[in-house]
Amino acid sequence: MSKSSRKTFLTKSLYLVTSLILIERGLGFSSEVTAENKPSGTIPEGLSPVSESDPTAKALGFHQDAKHTDFTLYPERKEPTAKNQFCKHCAQYTKLNDGWGKCNIISAGVVSSIGWCSAWSQKM
């Protein structure tokens, strides 16, 4: 193989790998953190979802959908060990129905079962 064809091969390979990485991140196919499904239950009557702009929720980086976590502020959330970190698996979460529950820390309303905040701790 001549030097020019090796150079061409390496250049094209680099473009291909870079393109695949950008497409994966841009389209959200990353396997690092994925929310399971949208909450399947309806919001319990007389209750409202916690606002993500609520001071406590904001301080904890809370999102009703874990895939909207700010990974620059919470890089540990991208770790493979964090793939099952959702409200429904948290010790602070009390299930109300299939999609919603109460949080002992963010008490301003109900939280989605697929939500996340920095106070997440494994349910025992």
Side-chain angles (χ1 to χ4, degrees), residues 44 93-97 99-103 109-113:
Y93 181 80
T94 305
K95 181 179 175 178
L96 296 176
N97 66 25
W100 300 92
K102 293 291 285 177
C103 176
V110 292
V111 296
S112 165
S113 63

Side-chain angles (χ1 to χ4, degrees), residues 19-78:
S19 299
L20 291 174
I21 290 171
L22 291 174
I23 289 170
E24 178 182 295
R25 288 186 183 169
L27 296 177
F29 292 133
S30 177
S31 61
E32 294 171 17
V33 176
T34 56
E36 292 168 345
N37 294 319
K38 295 290 181 198
S40 56
T42 57
I43 298 173
E45 195 170 319
L47 298 173
S48 60
V50 171
S51 170
E52 293 178 3
S53 62
D54 175 78
T56 304
K58 200 169 195 171
L60 294 171
F62 172 75
H63 287 283
Q64 293 286 5
D65 189 342
K67 67 182 174 186
H68 297 295
T69 301
D70 185 348
F71 298 118
T72 56
L73 292 175
Y74 304 102
E76 68 279 3
R77 179 70 179 103
K78 289 175 75 173

